[in-house]
Amino acid sequence: MKQLGDILLEHGLVSPTQLEAAHDEQQRVGRALGRVLIEQGVLTEPQLVAALAAQIGLRFVDLTEFAVDGSAVGRVPGTVCRRHGAIPIGFEDGKLLVAMSDPANVFAIDDIRSLTGLDVKPVVATRVDVIAAIDRYYRADSDMDDISNILDAKEEEDDLSKVKEIVEDAPIVKYVNLLITQAIQDRASDIHLEPTETDLRVRFRIDGVLHEVMRSPKAIQSGVISRLKIMADINIAERRIPQDGRLSVNAQGKKVDLRVATLPTVWGEKVVMRILDNSTARLDLADLGFSESNYERYGRSFTKPYGMILVTGPTGSGKSTTLYATINIISRPEVNVITVEDPVEYRLPGINQVQTNNKAGLTFASALRSILRSDPDIVLIGEIRDHETGQIAVEAALTGHLVLSTLHTNDAPSAVTRLTEMGIEPFLVGSALDAVLAQRLARRLCTKCKEAYTPTPESLVASRFPWQDGENLPELFRPVGCSVCAKTGYKGRLALHEVMVVSDEVERLAVERASASAIAQVAREQGMVTLRDDGLAKVMAGVTSVDEILRVVV
């Protein structure tokens, strides 16, 4: 096309302006055609961008696999990269290699050339990959370090009469905003601010594992914690007792809620913020990693008009997410759904949600009594913690309501014995309980860097892998670590499930006060897949590792 354009120019058949307009129109048509091909599933976006790059004679780079040179990244400020949608990724032939989503942006090339003093060699990458790389390599850490240094020069201020001046100080506000923004970018579920003797430690829980991200000067501790308490509507003058609050922020174009809890320690107040992404509450149950058989067994329970369904597991095992996903399926305009929670983590449209308030006398038990007088069809109880709550829940299930709740047990069969230990009559437990779902969350292997390997027979025996001597050794996968997963080898999480349907035999064992192990044996004979076996099946599927399953399941 370029040669044809030169010929047309030489013969005076077109002007340079007309030729440039023709090129622009060609690119516009190409992009429109590309969008159609992507929508039809003929091409992926990287394939389209690679084809367009080849058309204009530039190289395409997949930033998710390219080894980015940190020294090149450091040559250009993050603000410049964000403004132009470009990021330096390395050096080639004495030139600075710059990945761009729009290589025709001559202003970006000129700015980077003047800043670095180096000739720029543009390469093409998808816009999504460029933005992700900028977020990854130009994190908020350096900005927070600069703010920490500014604040460190100021004296620590504990005088409550001046606390407003402290928390409204611009560096403090910017520090807190950057901290929350960085945590959301890193997919953290919790932010921990922990005072120590000499500094303020900040840790993020990412995919269920805590990672220390920075340590800030002790001098900023009081201002940062006071700022967070004001944002969460918590009493800043009270530092001797634990307090709870809630705040909302706008990040990456969406509203994110944070549940804030303070805890007095010997070195000051520790603050933990749970990041509540409302999109999690709208997840489809089929997206939570159920195997086909487990989903079928669980589905038979929540489609019944009455009975009790329990989801069990430790704190942070995704019980609330599973219950919300279940509610999303069974909630319809013709049924009345009421929840009682402590606290209400996700606010769902069309659902009547009640927040407990122990100080005002609104406990789980008292709220349940009121709920049952409000003509509910489906009742969700945040947690069964005591005999009174459990008794009312069981009676509600027996009187024609569908009751969903959580319980803290290590496996599904233990839920039956836990309820009887709370003082609920065994015959009521057996009659009311319809199914128990035990759950754990395991980290998902990074798809970009996971490595296939053949395990040794000794390692399979040690992990109680379902393999017999004489069989072919299976091909499994293990973590490696790359820039996409922050060198951890894992990105994202998946759920392990154990679904126990309360059959006539299990109900009989419950009435006889049988042990959890006896109930488990019968449940396995009737088709229950244990948490470990479900996890090992996901190992065989290549989505997680043996070590990760052994970390979360006994």
Side-chain angles (χ1 to χ4, degrees):
M1 186 69 182
K2 184 178 180 182
Q3 293 174 348
L4 175 62
D6 291 340
I7 294 171
L8 293 173
L9 283 172
E10 288 172 3
H11 287 79
L13 297 175
V14 297
S15 67
T17 303
Q18 291 172 323
L19 184 61
E20 185 177 352
H23 284 160
D24 291 342
E25 180 65 17
Q26 181 189 24
Q27 289 182 359
R28 187 188 65 79
V29 172
R31 284 193 294 268
L33 177 61
R35 284 194 295 271
V36 172
L37 293 174
I38 290 174
E39 290 172 0
Q40 297 295 323
V42 178
L43 285 178
T44 63
E45 186 177 359
Q47 288 173 331
L48 174 64
V49 175
L52 294 174
Q55 185 181 19
I56 59 177
L58 291 178
R59 195 168 101 216
F60 172 76
V61 171
D62 186 349
L63 290 180
T64 61
E65 297 180 354
F66 190 87
V68 175
D69 188 337
S71 61
V73 174
R75 292 291 190 105
V76 181
T79 51
V80 175
C81 292
R82 292 185 193 280
R83 183 166 68 247
H84 294 304
I87 181 172
I89 58 174
F91 301 93
E92 196 172 281
D93 302 328
K95 297 180 180 179
L96 185 66
L97 205 62
V98 178
M100 309 175 68
S101 56
D102 180 14
N105 187 349
V106 293
F107 299 106
I109 295 173
D110 288 343
D111 278 358
I112 294 173
R113 183 188 295 118
S114 62
L115 280 169
T116 61
L118 296 170
D119 286 337
V120 173
K121 184 175 184 178
V123 293
V124 183
T126 66
R127 180 173 178 79
V128 171
D129 285 351
V130 170
I131 293 172
I134 292 172
D135 288 341
R136 187 162 61 247
Y137 293 104
Y138 292 99
R139 293 162 54 90
D141 304 52
S142 57
D143 292 333
M144 285 198 286
D145 287 340
D146 294 341
I147 297 169
S148 297
N149 293 333
I150 295 170
L151 293 168
D152 196 23
K154 302 184 178 184
E155 294 183 1
E156 185 175 3
E157 182 61 74
D158 279 332
D159 185 358
L160 289 177
S161 64
K162 296 183 179 180
V163 79
K164 184 177 180 181
E165 178 185 340
I166 298 171
V167 299
E168 291 182 355
D169 193 20
I172 286 283
V173 173
K174 189 176 180 184
Y175 177 95
V176 171
N177 293 343
L178 284 171
L179 184 70
I180 295 173
T181 301
Q182 180 182 319
I184 294 170
Q185 285 179 357
D186 288 356
R187 301 177 296 105
S189 60
D190 300 87
I191 306 170
H192 290 243
L193 279 78
E194 302 168 325
T196 68
E197 184 179 7
T198 57
D199 54 25
L200 179 67
R201 180 169 69 161
V202 179
R203 294 193 290 173
F204 294 164
R205 187 177 294 279
I206 303 171
D207 294 335
V209 179
L210 279 171
H211 300 270
E212 183 174 318
V213 293
M214 67 181 301
R215 286 180 179 264
S216 299
K218 185 76 172 175
I220 75 169
Q221 174 182 316
S222 178
V224 169
I225 292 174
S226 296
R227 169 66 180 171
L228 286 170
K229 289 170 76 173
I230 286 177
M231 291 173 69
D233 197 21
I234 294 174
N235 183 4
I236 63 171
E238 181 56 75
R239 304 181 180 184
R240 301 164 298 173
I241 60 173
Q243 298 185 84
D244 296 307
R246 191 183 183 104
L247 62 92
S248 297
V249 296
N250 287 313
Q252 300 173 357
K254 61 181 179 181
K255 181 183 176 183
V256 178
D257 294 331
L258 291 93
R259 193 179 75 206
V260 182
T262 67
L263 180 70
T265 70
V266 292
W267 301 117
E269 287 181 287
K270 172 185 169 75
V271 178
V272 178
M273 291 180 280
R274 168 67 59 89
I275 299 174
L276 307 170
D277 186 352
N278 286 317
S279 61
T280 303
R282 294 187 290 272
L283 284 175
D284 192 327
L285 194 61
D287 296 333
L288 299 184
F290 278 92
S291 66
E292 188 175 342
S293 61
N294 278 340
Y295 187 85
E296 182 184 351
R297 289 163 66 88
Y298 183 57
R300 287 200 300 267
S301 298
F302 66 71
T303 51
K304 293 181 180 178
Y306 56 85
M308 176 185 280
I309 299 173
L310 292 179
V311 181
T312 75
T315 301
S317 59
K319 300 188 296 296
S320 296
T321 300
T322 299
L323 285 178
Y324 281 129
T326 306
I327 287 289
N328 288 336
I329 292 178
I330 60 181
S331 174
R332 304 183 303 278
E334 58 267 25
V335 297
N336 181 19
V337 182
I338 305 180
T339 76
V340 51
E341 305 167 66
D342 180 25
V344 174
E345 292 191 348
Y346 303 104
R347 292 176 168 88
L348 301 176
I351 306 295
N352 305 286
Q353 296 174 277
V354 178
Q355 166 85 52
T356 62
N357 188 337
N358 291 329
K359 291 180 180 178
L362 185 62
T363 63
F364 275 112
S366 61
L368 270 177
R369 291 192 197 94
S370 300
I371 283 173
L372 295 177
R373 291 194 292 269
S374 301
D375 186 32
D377 297 291
I378 300 167
V379 179
L380 188 151
I381 307 167
E383 183 184 346
I384 295 177
R385 299 177 179 174
D386 51 42
H387 166 75
E388 192 176 8
T389 305
Q391 187 72 34
I392 299 171
V394 166
E395 291 172 356
L398 291 172
T399 53
H401 303 88
L402 181 61
V403 178
L404 297 92
S405 187
T406 68
L407 199 64
H408 285 288
T409 62
N410 290 326
D411 57 13
S414 298
V416 176
T417 55
R418 179 63 54 85
L419 289 174
T420 57
E421 287 168 0
M422 285 182 176
I424 302 170
E425 290 296 335
F427 70 90
L428 292 177
V429 173
S431 300
L433 199 56
D434 194 76
V436 183
L437 169 66
Q439 183 168 304
R440 297 288 188 281
L441 290 179
R443 289 180 293 174
R444 188 187 295 270
L445 283 170
C446 174
T447 56
K448 294 293 183 182
C449 67
K450 67 179 182 180
E451 176 184 68
Y453 75 103
T454 302
T456 63
E458 294 77 16
S459 65
L460 291 177
V461 172
S463 61
R464 289 184 279 163
F465 200 86
W467 171 84
Q468 299 293 329
D469 193 12
E471 294 180 349
N472 292 331
L473 292 170
E475 182 185 64
L476 306 180
F477 290 84
R478 58 190 171 197
V480 176
C482 65
S483 59
V484 174
C485 58
K487 304 298 181 183
T488 63
Y490 298 95
K491 187 174 183 183
R493 289 195 284 180
L494 55 90
L496 315 179
H497 300 103
E498 177 179 284
V499 183
M500 184 187 77
V501 177
V502 180
S503 61
D504 292 340
E505 291 81 0
V506 173
E507 183 178 347
R508 178 177 53 79
L509 290 173
V511 173
E512 294 173 356
R513 296 181 182 269
S515 65
S517 58
I519 296 174
Q521 182 178 347
V522 170
R524 285 195 297 270
E525 292 170 356
Q526 295 178 347
M528 182 186 79
V529 178
T530 64
L531 283 165
R532 172 185 281 272
D533 290 342
D534 189 48
L536 293 177
K538 289 176 168 66
V539 170
M540 288 290 292
V543 294
T544 188
S545 66
V546 174
D547 290 342
E548 181 63 12
I549 297 302
L550 296 179
R551 183 182 72 86
V552 298
V553 180
V554 178

